Amino acid sequence: MSPWLRQHRFALGAALSTVRKSPGSFLFNVLVVALALTLPFAGITLLDNVRPLSEQLSVDPEISLFMRDDASRADAEALAPRIRQLVAQQGKGEAEIAFVPREQALASLKERSGLGDVLETLGDNPLPDSYVMKLGGFASAGAAGQVDLITERLAELPGVETVQVDSAWVKRLAAMLAILRLALLLLAATLGIVVIAVVFNTIRLQVLTQKEEISVSQLLGATNDFIHRPFFYTGALLGLCAGAVALGVVTLALRPLNGAIGEFARLYGSNFQLTALGELEIAGLLAVSAGLGLVGALLSVRRHLARQR
């Protein structure tokens, strides 16, 4: 284990020595890679902040069922067991089912709207008997199809005029977040290739610069692993430093963004603010950045050193 550690310590020292010899070039490459990483890191930060907010907004769907005007009170009340059975067949938790007589609906409308005198002039009650169902356990995007199935089955019941789903926006929100995740994944993959290409070219230039030194080392009996390791460490350091810079840029950008977001959120009675990623997420992104640099260095070294044999 001791020789192995010495070899890697020597390779890391050689990589740091190369960086010290040309700090301007290394810094420029770090900035280029950091620019490529900033956008996906910002998207990940945004999704990480929106995810708990979307979970809070994902309330249980509510279905309203309205009877036809010619349906009798007995017919309307007789549907209660069939509605409960239909919802229970889906097996997604408890459902709150409330029967709302037309008289109660009219009284509630008068109270909420303040148009009692106007409604009195209508004569007969224009509102139908109805049911209001709050479906527990159907808030997830995966249950959207079951909610649609329940709605279709309810519309087929005798005496039913209209069935409305009052929380269809939940499905729209889930679909929008799914699209954002997919777009972010494609963007991250594309920019990841850009990072690998930048590191690939950087290591290629180093290999060409140290061509004579590499040839002498090979004549002295140095193994390929011994020659390759400093370049691998250089690529990993480049990716790691670029990832740190990108995360720093995203973190600094949160303050002015929160100023604008705070004004908008207060209009809706909310104190929503963007927060930086947690330590585990930051460590993961730095590891990914270093890994991309290592992959770029690996591809470059294997291709260009193979030509010198």
Side-chain angles (χ1 to χ4, degrees), residues 61 63 90 135 138-139 143-152 165 171:
I63 298 178
Q90 301 302 320
L135 307 181
F138 286 83
Q146 292 174 305
V147 174
D148 292 337
L149 180 60
I150 291 176
T151 303
E152 294 175 2
V165 180
K171 294 188 291 183

Side-chain angles (χ1 to χ4, degrees), residues 149-213:
L149 180 60
I150 291 176
T151 303
E152 294 175 2
R153 297 283 178 82
L154 290 174
E156 296 173 355
L157 294 177
V160 175
E161 177 71 23
T162 306
V163 179
Q164 291 182 335
V165 180
D166 299 331
S167 55
W169 58 272
V170 175
K171 294 188 291 183
R172 299 190 188 102
L173 177 62
M176 183 179 66
L177 290 178
I179 292 174
L180 288 177
R181 292 190 189 96
L182 180 59
L184 180 61
L185 179 62
L186 294 175
L187 177 65
T190 302
L191 294 179
I193 295 175
V194 172
V195 171
I196 292 175
V198 171
V199 176
F200 181 94
N201 188 62
T202 300
I203 300 301
R204 180 182 69 84
L205 293 176
Q206 287 190 6
V207 170
L208 294 177
T209 302
Q210 302 178 23
K211 182 177 180 180
E212 295 180 358
E213 181 180 342

Side-chain angles (χ1 to χ4, degrees), residues 48-230:
D48 186 71
N49 281 271
V50 172
R51 179 177 50 81
L53 180 63
S54 65
E55 291 175 353
Q56 294 175 7
L57 293 176
S58 295
V59 296
D60 294 328
E62 190 173 276
I63 298 178
S64 299
L65 181 150
F66 301 96
M67 303 296 297
R68 290 201 299 262
D69 293 336
D70 58 355
S72 65
R73 177 62 54 78
D75 293 338
E77 293 178 343
L79 288 182
R82 299 184 61 180
I83 293 174
R84 294 184 185 278
Q85 181 182 8
L86 191 153
V87 175
Q89 288 176 351
Q90 301 302 320
K92 293 289 290 185
E94 296 295 331
E96 299 179 9
I97 301 175
F99 176 66
V100 183
R102 60 180 64 189
E103 296 82 9
Q104 179 181 339
L106 182 61
S108 178
L109 180 60
K110 290 180 180 179
E111 180 181 352
R112 295 181 180 179
S113 65
L115 300 175
D117 295 337
V118 176
L119 293 174
E120 288 292 344
T121 62
L122 295 177
D124 295 337
N125 184 355
L127 301 179
D129 293 327
S130 62
Y131 282 91
V132 178
M133 291 153 279
K134 189 172 183 179
L135 307 181
F138 286 83
S140 64
Q146 292 174 305
V147 174
D148 292 337
L149 180 60
I150 291 176
T151 303
E152 294 175 2
R153 297 283 178 82
L154 290 174
E156 296 173 355
L157 294 177
V160 175
E161 177 71 23
T162 306
V163 179
Q164 291 182 335
V165 180
D166 299 331
S167 55
W169 58 272
V170 175
K171 294 188 291 183
R172 299 190 188 102
L173 177 62
M176 183 179 66
L177 290 178
I179 292 174
L180 288 177
R181 292 190 189 96
L182 180 59
L184 180 61
L185 179 62
L186 294 175
L187 177 65
T190 302
L191 294 179
I193 295 175
V194 172
V195 171
I196 292 175
V198 171
V199 176
F200 181 94
N201 188 62
T202 300
I203 300 301
R204 180 182 69 84
L205 293 176
Q206 287 190 6
V207 170
L208 294 177
T209 302
Q210 302 178 23
K211 182 177 180 180
E212 295 180 358
E213 181 180 342
I214 293 172
S215 299
V216 172
S217 299
Q218 290 174 336
L219 291 174
L220 294 175
T223 63
N224 289 334
D225 290 340
F226 181 84
I227 296 173
H228 294 176
R229 284 195 196 100

